[in-house]
Amino acid sequence: MGAYEKVLKARNSNRPSGAFFVNRMITKFVEFHGDRRFSDDGAIVGGIGFLNDMPVTIIAMERGNDVNERIKRNFGCPSPEGYRKALRLMKQAEKFNRPVICIINSSGAYCGMGAEERGQGLAIAENLMEMMTLKTPIISVVTGEGGSGGALALSVADSIIMLENAVYSVISPEGCASILWKDSAKADEAAEALKLTANDLYNFDVADKVIEEENMSYDEICDNLKCEILAELSELKDMPIDELLEKRYQKYRNIGKL
Amino acid sequence: MIGNFFKSLYGEKENKVCKKCGRSYTYSELVKHSMICPNCGEYFRMTPRERLVMICDKFEEIDANLTSENILNFPNYDEKLKTATKTSNSKEAVVYGVAEIAGQKFVIFVMNSEFMMGSMGRVVGEKITRAFEMATEKKLPVVGFTTSGGARMQEGIYSLMQMAKVSGAVKRHSDAGLLYITVLTDPTTGGVTASFAMEGDIIIAEPNALIGFAGARVIEQTIGQKLPEGFQRAEFLQEHGFVDIIEKREKLKYTISNILKLHSC
Ligand SMILES: [Zn+2]
């Protein structure tokens, strides 16, 4: 499968979004709303629940399955208040010593006037800084589209897992093609050049694990993902905090080392 | 060191034309006016060299020879790097080192919009990360001048990851109780705005500088309407609570020096 085919597959509306993974993996889920500053962003669903018998905080980007849901979820494009809600829940997780799981599936942070007026750049920047030293394990999973800074704001983590047909890119192939070649129809060329597939990212040491998808239902994929998360957490939970944070810092320090 | 910088400024530079009023000036005349149009007050974009001369009494550059390579084999990136190196007369889109104002030592980095729009790839991210790591080790404040079109897409996911890498180094510097001042200059956008540009303890902006996350064209396409006059300008950001000080270029050195002094005892 070509890179652009994967992009289209990652975006396909039949592909499950954040809420599916939350519902299938987590029991007794309690959703929490709002950033306590401005409003509640429907593009990000967050709360607590059990992963098997372990309480976790889970934060998921959700695109919505039908027209009404999509509008409510702003097509999965978070606003500053979404990132601030996520950070609030992460700080809460730190306080109560719960691991954090982030589910990433978004074409990117919302590019509207209100988002700029309320500090989209600052909201992302604060998450990057704070997640780097959050004193509890963080696992980020890219399940569909990992769109640029808007995805990065939930993926400063101890472990990044990608589904096989997920993509993660600094810019959309269409955006890249239209800037570089003034032709968004060259998106397939751009997708190849950007090297944005899960396997590419695994080779670049950005993704730590890739979950296979071939010949499997989304239920099976999600169950395998859950096993992987449990395995990662059993290791991370016993690590002394200083060691965990040093490892997290070095993970990003060493990506593409000069 | 800084003496060489001064001389290089008065070298063989061409006349510059003000993009607002159209008047032409010799280069040395403009330098004397802090790169501000003497006729209409328009701010010319400044190179790191010009900025360092304007701000610092002393400056010693570090890692001057780090250059980028085409790590993804991205089409035409090698040529773009070559052209950028030639036209900007610099090796990458940021310069960093140790500087002094009025006897106060600090680490400074200055981005360069003439080098591929100041975009951030591995080398830019690495140099700024090293600047913060060095400042943390030597217990020095950091002053950073930003100007950038965002991440450098020719380096793909590596360029995006620089935002996290630099933010980690900024956080460690901050947790060590050290001061970080950012000066946002025209234009500061994209991944740089969404990372170290907005992470300063004190955020200064130059008047009328364009500062934002999304580009104006992208926003207009998203919302299907034209943006109002002054949207994403420094004054707009201050009004919305994101900028501490909008400072005139002629007063920047004094203001930075004063803030450094206020943190020195
Ligand atoms: Zn003028």
Side-chain angles (χ1 to χ4, degrees):
Chain A
M1 203 186 317
Y4 194 55
E5 257 177 282
K6 289 213 171 185
V7 172
L8 297 178
K9 195 157 186 166
R11 286 178 188 158
N12 194 302
S13 56
N14 295 325
R15 197 174 173 83
S17 194
F20 166 83
F21 293 95
V22 175
N23 293 332
R24 187 156 178 95
M25 283 196 289
I26 305 292
T27 53
K28 310 257 185 211
F29 178 65
V30 187
E31 185 176 357
F32 298 146
H33 291 275
D35 66 346
R36 302 267 169 88
R37 276 161 176 71
F38 178 73
S39 74
D40 184 45
D41 185 357
I44 290 184
V45 175
I48 57 174
F50 285 103
L51 182 75
N52 282 1
D53 52 0
M54 187 196 305
V56 296
T57 290
I58 186 157
I59 299 162
M61 297 178 175
E62 173 55 43
R63 295 177 175 222
N65 307 321
D66 57 44
V67 177
N68 285 334
E69 269 286 304
R70 278 190 197 123
I71 291 167
K72 184 178 155 196
R73 304 292 179 192
N74 198 26
F75 300 86
C77 295
S79 294
E81 42 280 12
Y83 295 116
R84 290 181 181 130
K85 169 165 73 176
L87 184 57
R88 177 174 82 82
L89 299 184
M90 285 189 256
K91 290 279 185 186
Q92 194 188 65
E94 180 182 55
K95 175 175 174 181
F96 296 107
N97 208 15
R98 289 188 288 263
V100 175
I101 300 165
C102 296
I103 305 285
I104 291 153
N105 179 24
S106 170
S107 60
Y110 186 56
C111 296
M113 278 175 75
E116 292 291 318
E117 285 166 347
R118 297 191 299 280
Q120 188 71 284
L122 176 70
I124 295 170
E126 283 183 329
N127 281 20
L128 302 182
M129 265 179 105
E130 295 301 326
M131 290 176 82
M132 197 59 88
T133 54
L134 196 84
K135 294 189 186 71
T136 193
I138 306 173
I139 294 183
S140 292
V141 187
V142 188
T143 61
E145 198 176 9
S148 196
L152 185 68
L154 290 187
S155 55
V156 176
D158 301 299
S159 174
I160 296 179
I161 302 173
M162 288 183 75
L163 301 194
E164 188 184 348
N165 293 322
V167 296
Y168 194 176
S169 180
V170 63
I171 186 170
S172 73
E174 293 83 0
C176 178
S178 80
I179 293 171
L180 283 186
W181 304 308
K182 313 276 173 250
D183 184 2
S184 59
K186 287 191 174 163
D188 52 348
E189 256 173 78
E192 292 292 342
L194 285 165
K195 307 228 173 26
L196 43 63
T197 68
N199 282 329
D200 290 328
L201 270 73
Y202 181 77
N203 292 332
F204 298 158
D205 292 328
V206 174
D208 300 282
K209 284 266 157 60
V210 176
I211 305 286
E212 283 178 33
E213 290 193 38
E214 200 148 314
N215 301 321
M216 270 189 275
S217 69
Y218 287 118
D219 284 351
E220 288 171 305
I221 292 167
C222 185
D223 294 346
N224 290 342
L225 171 63
K226 184 179 169 181
C227 286
E228 202 54 65
I229 292 174
L230 282 165
E232 290 279 328
L233 282 181
S234 72
E235 239 175 80
L236 295 170
K237 277 214 90 171
D238 296 333
M239 207 179 276
I241 280 297
D242 288 350
E243 193 184 325
L244 183 79
L245 297 185
E246 179 62 21
K247 260 191 85 186
R248 193 183 300 162
Y249 185 85
Q250 293 302 337
K251 172 176 166 66
Y252 293 88
R253 193 72 188 82
N254 291 327
I255 291 172
K257 203 172 169 86
L258 290 174
Chain B
M1 196 72 197
I2 206 89
N4 294 334
F5 269 86
F6 257 118
K7 264 183 233 151
S8 65
L9 280 190
Y10 290 93
E12 318 259 317
K13 278 248 185 176
E14 298 157 12
N15 285 5
K16 284 204 165 197
V17 177
C18 172
K19 67 175 187 233
K20 196 170 164 199
C21 73
R23 291 219 183 166
S24 174
Y25 301 96
T26 65
Y27 186 66
S28 55
E29 194 178 358
L30 261 184
V31 169
K32 267 181 229 146
H33 284 94
S34 309
M35 307 298 288
I36 302 169
C37 174
N39 179 48
C40 76
E42 175 76 0
Y43 278 36
F44 285 72
R45 287 183 184 174
M46 291 176 76
T47 63
R49 219 169 266 266
E50 290 158 357
R51 192 64 78 170
L52 289 160
V53 168
M54 192 183 93
I55 296 295
C56 310
D57 299 333
K58 284 186 193 165
F59 173 70
E60 208 157 323
E61 189 176 0
I62 301 169
D63 289 329
N65 293 317
L66 279 186
T67 51
S68 292
E69 53 181 307
N70 191 355
I71 187 167
L72 296 186
N73 253 321
F74 200 97
N76 306 322
Y77 185 33
D78 293 297
E79 292 82 342
K80 279 206 171 119
L81 283 172
K82 228 178 264 171
T83 311
T85 308
K86 216 167 157 191
T87 56
S88 70
N89 193 25
S90 56
K91 293 199 165 119
E92 248 301 338
V94 73
V95 168
Y96 89 100
V98 180
E100 266 183 41
I101 303 179
Q104 300 173 97
K105 228 175 167 186
F106 59 101
V107 172
I108 189 168
F109 69 85
V110 186
M111 300 186 81
N112 187 352
S113 65
E114 285 185 3
F115 194 104
M116 291 190 75
M117 303 276 291
S119 59
M120 173 162 62
R122 288 191 311 153
V123 168
V124 169
E126 180 68 20
K127 286 174 92 169
I128 297 175
T129 300
R130 287 187 193 178
F132 277 96
E133 287 179 340
M134 185 181 68
T136 306
E137 197 191 306
K138 297 189 170 173
K139 299 188 167 58
L140 291 174
V142 175
V143 177
F145 285 79
T146 62
T147 175
S148 178
R152 189 173 298 169
M153 60 189 144
Q154 290 88 348
E155 293 187 22
I157 199 71
Y158 289 122
S159 65
L160 187 71
M161 292 297 148
Q162 302 307 313
M163 293 166 63
K165 179 169 94 177
V166 176
S167 296
V170 175
K171 186 62 165 47
R172 287 192 163 186
H173 182 257
S174 178
D175 286 349
L178 298 164
L179 171 70
Y180 171 31
I181 302 171
T182 51
V183 185
L184 314 179
T185 73
D186 187 64
T188 296
T189 60
V192 167
T193 299
S195 60
F196 56 88
M198 299 305 285
E199 290 170 350
D201 298 294
I202 294 160
I203 300 180
I204 303 174
E206 285 202 319
N208 200 40
L210 180 78
I211 304 153
F213 173 65
R217 217 172 337 132
V218 176
I219 301 173
E220 288 179 345
Q221 275 168 11
T222 306
I223 62 174
Q225 62 185 81
K226 279 255 162 225
L227 290 170
E229 188 78 14
F231 191 77
Q232 291 183 317
R233 295 289 164 182
E235 295 72 15
F236 171 94
L237 265 89
Q238 188 173 52
E239 194 183 307
H240 286 85
F242 299 107
V243 167
D244 288 292
I245 308 163
I246 295 178
E247 192 55 281
K248 290 193 184 110
R249 197 171 270 175
E250 323 69 300
K251 282 189 67 190
L252 259 181
K253 180 174 181 175
Y254 168 77
T255 300
I256 291 169
S257 164
N258 193 30
I259 293 171
L260 287 173
K261 198 166 284 163
L262 281 161
H263 288 81
S264 65
C265 5

